[in-house]
Amino acid sequence: MVKRKSLLAALTITTAVGFSAIAPVNVLHVLAADKFNDIEITAASKFAIQELAKQNVLSGYSDTEFKPNQNITRGELAKIAALSMYVNLNTDKKQSLQDVNESDWSFVYINGLLNAGIMKADNNRFQPSATVTHEQLVEIAAALLKQDKSAVQTLFGTTYTAGKAATRAEAAQLFYAVQQAAIPQITQVKVLNAVAVQITFSAPLTAENTDVEKAKQNFAFSDGLMLENIPQLKTGAKATYIVPTSPQKAGTSYTVSYKGQKSGAFNGSDIKIPFKAVEQVSNDTIELQSYLADGVTDYQYIIALYSGKRNGLDFAVDENNTYNGKQLTVIPSMRLKQVTLTDAAGASLTATYVPFTQSTDGKQEPKFRLANGVTLKPGSVYTLSSPWSTFGGQTLTAKSIAPLVIQKADAVSATSINVTLTADPQDELFAGRSVTLTAPDGTKLTAQYKFTSRQGAVGVFDIQNNDKLLSGVTYTVTAVNGWADSNSITLKSVQ
């Protein structure tokens, strides 16, 4: 078999057969896929088996045995076809079969495919133990995609032989290839607020959309609107995503398309995210505070990627983002977002979101920082504004805040160091910070904080620009732009 061809680039998954509750590759727990010890057939088939096992589309005969060369049965194929292509498994309409009972493991999949007209029974007999030919395998995949068989057959490559019994490995590879080639369709667009929309697709998006640059290529908005971070699947949803955008113009009619397919439409929102409080946390950084009790939630608490990973603070909302009877305002990813601070004289400063700070330590307090070297003027009163948020009419009176204090720095490797503060800051105050490492001969290296690496008072800083610490050299450590007091701090590189 071969990888998908460009001929299939236009394949789409339509709403004709409905969809099952299955999450995309990047959020599901890996089950026994990494334990199969008999799938070293070809790299492609091994990968397909592992990926479909991650999705719970297929399973082995045991935790370690998949039997890839065994002929696939109609019952096994029903499960792979139904789950990989998101067939509706609702059992309200139950087929009456002489050779498949409702209690059989395969009934729900067989029933779904019969109801969708994808597979057929003969005189009320499905023959779940019968083998499947290459041709029949292609026919079923083509029926699911509503595409010509010749297009789907290209995925089989030179190994395709009409009439030959298909193996479990061949079925896995074909349906994984078709699954990846198919393009989900936008079925609904709901505007959430001035910087977020909620988009429902006909099927889950593929893992390529976890790369922000690739996702930006896949999503096309009209009228200058831009995708600003990756779409995130909502907890408990089949294919509904929170999609962060650049600030929308209220009332503007926008369209959004995915991979050039039919677009969805929505009107730009005038709903701004309400922050209850603003606090200065350093001489160049502020944080915006919001609370679930006020009907505001950060998206990280309601997405599948972080489900079960927020120390019990995560939860699921319905399609209208309602929780405990209250509809919530959702704060999407703050990536690239900015706020303006204007003093009494009309002079303005711009603060930009600090990555990975919007939902840390159990708080909804995204940080925004001024440009390098720029600080707030103590005593000045600043009014905050932005096209996407409100601040309850609050102003911020700047104050002088003592910098953090570095207690020590230790070399971990030639490319990484640990920086330890005198006390746990109890917040993500390392984010975006750097230190300069100066050798006795004046050579300078820059080490930047590794996002989300903080453990209490200790943060990991990585050496930048492909530089390395020189063996046995003692470096003087200085905080860039004075974010921390590093008086007399040195580190000796690893020998």
Side-chain angles (χ1 to χ4, degrees):
M1 298 174 77
V2 297
K3 295 181 179 179
R4 63 177 180 268
K5 303 288 188 179
S6 58
L7 176 62
L8 289 184
L11 288 183
T12 59
I13 299 177
T14 70
T15 56
V17 295
F19 314 102
S20 66
I22 179 172
V25 172
N26 58 315
V27 299
L28 279 170
H29 177 63
V30 179
L31 299 177
D34 59 343
K35 298 180 181 179
F36 293 146
N37 57 21
D38 62 347
I39 58 174
E40 303 288 342
I41 327 162
T42 67
S45 60
K46 177 181 178 180
F47 183 76
I49 291 166
Q50 289 176 327
E51 291 302 309
L52 292 182
K54 289 178 186 179
Q55 300 177 38
N56 291 330
V57 167
L58 50 74
S59 55
Y61 281 84
S62 70
D63 283 347
T64 59
E65 188 178 33
F66 181 74
K67 296 186 180 181
N69 294 319
Q70 182 170 293
N71 291 339
I72 193 166
T73 66
R74 281 170 56 82
E76 291 171 336
L77 176 59
K79 178 181 178 181
I80 293 176
L83 293 184
S84 66
M85 302 309 291
Y86 324 109
V87 173
N88 190 338
L89 299 181
N90 191 310
T91 55
D92 288 346
K93 181 182 178 182
K94 295 180 179 179
Q95 298 283 334
S96 178
L97 299 168
Q98 295 182 29
D99 54 356
V100 183
N101 298 320
E102 283 188 41
S103 59
D104 291 346
W105 68 267
S106 60
F107 175 79
V108 65
Y109 313 114
I110 292 169
N111 188 71
L113 288 173
L114 290 176
N115 285 338
I118 303 302
M119 295 183 76
K120 293 180 171 44
D122 186 12
N123 294 323
N124 295 325
R125 290 183 177 275
F126 184 78
Q127 297 182 321
S129 298
T131 58
V132 180
T133 66
H134 287 185
E135 185 176 21
Q136 291 166 338
L137 204 61
V138 167
E139 286 176 350
I140 291 168
L144 281 164
L145 288 167
K146 298 189 177 300
Q147 293 288 328
D148 186 79
K149 288 186 293 184
S150 61
V152 179
Q153 186 180 317
T154 61
L155 296 178
F156 232 109
T158 57
T159 63
Y160 175 84
T161 305
K164 182 180 178 180
T167 66
R168 284 165 54 82
E170 289 172 330
Q173 192 171 343
L174 175 64
F175 276 90
Y176 180 70
V178 172
Q179 184 188 69
Q180 298 305 297
I183 301 176
Q185 299 293 287
I186 293 174
T187 61
Q188 186 182 59
V189 180
K190 287 185 177 181
V191 65
L192 299 183
N193 51 57
V195 284
V197 293
Q198 178 175 291
I199 302 180
T200 300
F201 291 86
S202 58
L205 301 179
T206 53
E208 65 180 337
N209 290 289
T210 59
D211 178 271
V212 66
E213 293 305 318
K214 184 62 177 177
K216 287 171 70 173
Q217 294 174 20
N218 292 339
F219 285 80
F221 291 88
S222 66
D223 296 271
L225 198 65
M226 298 291 293
L227 180 79
E228 296 213 326
N229 207 344
I230 63 174
Q232 290 287 0
L233 180 72
K234 292 173 63 177
T235 297
K238 300 173 184 178
T240 298
Y241 295 79
I242 296 171
V243 180
T245 71
S246 56
Q248 303 158 20
K249 297 177 181 178
T252 297
S253 295
Y254 293 103
T255 60
V256 55
S257 62
Y258 179 72
K259 289 190 173 182
Q261 302 301 300
K262 182 179 179 181
S263 61
F266 63 97
N267 290 326
S269 176
D270 61 359
I271 299 173
K272 296 187 176 184
I273 298 170
F275 289 99
K276 189 170 186 177
V278 180
E279 184 173 332
Q280 181 183 349
V281 294
S282 72
N283 292 325
D284 62 355
T285 307
I286 63 172
E287 67 180 17
L288 308 181
Q289 301 171 355
S290 63
Y291 304 93
L292 181 61
D294 297 323
V296 181
T297 184
D298 190 275
Y299 81 111
Q300 294 186 40
Y301 293 117
I302 62 170
I303 60 174
L305 182 64
Y306 295 132
S307 179
K309 301 176 183 177
R310 282 293 183 264
N311 297 317
L313 298 176
D314 52 290
F315 56 95
V317 294
D318 65 14
E319 64 177 12
N320 296 314
N321 297 311
T322 299
Y323 178 67
N324 284 344
K326 176 185 275 188
Q327 188 169 22
L328 304 179
T329 296
V330 177
I331 304 174
S333 167
M334 293 281 92
R335 182 177 183 270
L336 304 180
K337 299 298 185 292
Q338 295 180 324
V339 297
T340 300
L341 297 89
T342 306
D343 66 17
S348 295
L349 300 173
T350 298
T352 302
Y353 171 65
V354 181
F356 297 96
T357 63
Q358 69 182 80
S359 178
T360 59
D361 298 276
K363 297 173 286 187
Q364 299 178 170
E365 298 174 346
K367 310 292 189 289
F368 289 75
R369 183 167 296 151
L370 302 177
N372 285 338
V374 179
T375 60
L376 297 169
K377 183 178 180 181
S380 292
V381 178
Y382 293 92
T383 299
L384 279 75
S385 61
S386 87
W388 53 271
S389 59
T390 61
F391 309 96
Q394 291 194 53
T395 56
L396 175 72
T397 301
K399 55 188 177 182
S400 179
I401 296 179
L404 300 170
V405 179
I406 297 177
Q407 182 182 67
K408 65 176 182 175
D410 301 293
V412 177
S413 69
T415 58
S416 181
I417 67 173
N418 280 343
V419 173
T420 303
L421 303 177
T422 54
D424 183 352
Q426 301 291 313
D427 206 347
E428 193 56 274
L429 300 185
F430 276 129
R433 299 304 194 183
S434 299
V435 296
T436 298
L437 308 176
T438 305
D441 66 358
T443 300
K444 295 181 184 293
L445 305 178
T446 299
Q448 187 170 50
Y449 174 66
K450 182 179 180 180
F451 286 118
T452 72
S453 69
R454 180 177 67 87
Q455 296 293 324
V458 182
V460 178
F461 284 64
D462 291 329
I463 309 298
Q464 301 297 294
N465 304 316
N466 295 317
D467 288 330
K468 292 184 178 181
L469 298 172
L470 296 178
S471 178
V473 174
T474 298
Y475 292 86
T476 300
V477 180
T478 307
V480 175
N481 293 322
W483 64 268
D485 184 351
S486 53
N487 186 39
S488 301
I489 298 297
T490 61
L491 70 80
K492 189 171 184 178
S493 60
V494 179
Q495 292 284 354

